[in-house]
Amino acid sequence: MTPIPTDAAASSSSSSSDAASPALEAPRPADGYAGDVSPQLAWHWVQSGEAVLVDVRTDAERDWVGFVPGAIAAPWKHWPGMTPNPAFDDTLRAAVPPGGKAVLLCRSGVRSVTAARRAAELGIAAYNVLEGFEGDPDENGHRNRRGGWRFHGLPWRQG
């Protein structure tokens, strides 16, 4: 697997490359899938070729909010209406080599749990990326201020 390229505008913090960093702690145990990982550990695995990054957000979310260059787009549901994606299983199987592992990313780390459980049913070692792409909302309902892929300065693009 080819690592996802980074650019100067989206460089990660020193915590993403420091193996002793708390952000690179071992995965947390989970029910029904391989575990939960920090965004920084997910990125570390992707960069080292240990895992495939799968973005389970809708096409609209990736188009409007932003995306991780090189991530596999495998929407769990389709916008509008949030109907299940009938191609999810096939897309995931095609993206993750046999015996490989996947790190699944959604907006806040909720849909990716359900998607990780489905991936585990398919025999894929699947991990949920904690905090998701945008993190939890703050007291004003704004995202990207309390955790998330973007908050931690990991690579992403918009447009």
Side-chain angles (χ1 to χ4, degrees):
M1 184 184 110
T2 304
I4 297 171
T6 61
D7 61 321
S11 65
S12 59
S13 66
S14 61
S15 66
S16 66
S17 62
D18 180 3
S21 169
L24 295 181
E25 291 177 356
R28 296 179 191 172
D31 186 28
Y33 57 99
D36 296 310
V37 297
S38 69
Q40 297 93 330
L41 180 56
W43 178 238
H44 176 77
W45 283 354
V46 170
Q47 284 187 301
S48 68
E50 294 178 56
V52 174
L53 179 61
V54 180
D55 190 332
V56 303
R57 295 174 302 145
T58 66
D59 294 338
E61 286 173 290
R62 284 189 310 280
D63 289 346
W64 299 336
V65 178
F67 62 95
V68 179
I72 303 300
W76 178 243
K77 295 187 175 188
H78 289 298
W79 175 265
M82 300 307 280
T83 57
N85 175 9
F88 179 80
D89 291 1
D90 290 339
T91 303
L92 197 59
R93 285 185 184 121
V96 183
K101 64 184 170 186
V103 287
L104 283 70
L105 179 70
C106 70
R107 180 186 66 180
S108 61
V110 175
R111 270 175 291 170
S112 50
V113 167
T114 307
R117 286 186 178 130
R118 177 61 189 151
E121 291 171 359
L122 298 173
I124 297 169
Y127 295 82
N128 168 53
V129 178
L130 294 165
E131 304 174 13
F133 188 74
E134 296 184 76
D136 291 331
D138 67 11
E139 61 280 355
N140 296 312
H142 300 152
R143 293 188 182 271
N144 300 304
R145 295 182 178 165
R146 287 194 179 157
W149 189 273
R150 294 185 340 176
F151 176 82
H152 292 293
L154 298 171
W156 69 282
R157 291 202 178 131
Q158 198 162 24

